Amino acid sequence: MDAIIQTFQLTKKYKDETIIKPLDFSLKKGEICALIGKNGAGKSTFFKILAGQQMPSSGEIQLFGKSGKEIETAKRRMAFMVETPAFFPDFTAVQNLEYFRIQRGIVDKKRMYEVLEIVGLAHEKKKRFNDYSMGMKQRLGIALCLLSSPDCLVLDEPINGLDVEGIMEIRKLLRKLNQENQITILISSHILTELDLLATRFVFIKNGVIVDDLSRELLEEKSRKQILLTVDDSAKTVQLLERAYADIQFKVLPNQEITIQNYVERSGEINRLLVENGVMVKEFSIKVMNLEEYFLGLVEEDTHD
């Protein structure tokens, strides 16, 4: 598979603080890759470095296998929506795109109408940008990205502030661009349930470090099942579990709840162990984790391994 973006030991420091620690990352052709992390994890900084809005402190970036002076040419095959684009409020969609088309030296005038058709704004001929809904504004932002016919889109929080309908429209649009137009997508969002519905790969970043990198299949396998316990004495339960299973992975939650991430196939045995040792098990169930829970398990500090 061809790598579209590759970084080698990429870092970013501000004064004494290292925002991005030596980062090796690659984005392969055809992927919809979700970059997931809390605020301040380094996502936006990473996107700004890729877009050329910030310079890395050290390390190397390759785009489509090109680096150094050749990277600017390769960057023309990319489109970035890292901050909300500044459109003219009194212009229509066509007027706005016409301005950017001329500014960017895109000769083909037809392309404006094609991209408005792709993002579902072709019928909004007279409406001024100011009167657009948030979802329409984001779709025009994506239309602007598509103006130069890129092979790869890098989108930072494209569904931020959208209502349910707007979110659904953007999801459908991105899926269509990926499947029908073969556009590779790198995306971040706080709305993990949406990324779960969209992405083919999930990269988790914490304090500027990639802590996990999973395909959809692997994520589904890893997050498939866990045991959920409610007991009368979580401290005693933890002792019993650690004594019986050396490599048990669990998390203690409030209200005497415990989740166990492995040994799911030995759930009956675990239940018996607790009951025979005087722990009152109020609830014992096996639940499927979603992306959000998997993410929290990775980034919270109090996970036991």
Side-chain angles (χ1 to χ4, degrees), residues 85-145:
F87 290 110
F88 296 98
D90 292 333
F91 279 18
T92 63
V94 170
Q95 289 169 327
N96 266 302
L97 290 185
E98 175 71 353
Y99 168 81
F100 285 107
R101 182 187 72 79
I102 293 164
Q103 190 198 42
R104 293 175 183 188
I106 295 162
V107 180
D108 185 6
K109 241 183 156 171
K110 284 202 315 291
R111 185 63 187 160
M112 293 189 309
Y113 302 98
E114 285 169 12
V115 296
L116 288 173
E117 190 68 52
I118 290 167
V119 301
L121 289 175
H123 58 290
E124 299 288 357
K125 289 191 170 59
K126 293 198 167 79
K127 199 177 247 192
R128 297 175 318 156
F129 180 76
N130 222 12
D131 302 324
Y132 273 19
S133 70
M134 188 70 179
M136 288 165 76
K137 286 176 177 174
Q138 290 294 70
R139 281 189 281 148
L140 188 59
I142 292 171
L144 176 59
C145 283

Side-chain angles (χ1 to χ4, degrees), residues 168-183:
M168 214 162 72
E169 284 171 359
I170 298 287
R171 188 205 320 145
K172 275 161 59 179
L173 170 61
L174 294 179
R175 200 177 275 152
K176 185 173 113 179
L177 291 172
N178 178 255
Q179 289 168 2
E180 293 176 22
N181 301 59
Q182 274 72 56
I183 294 177

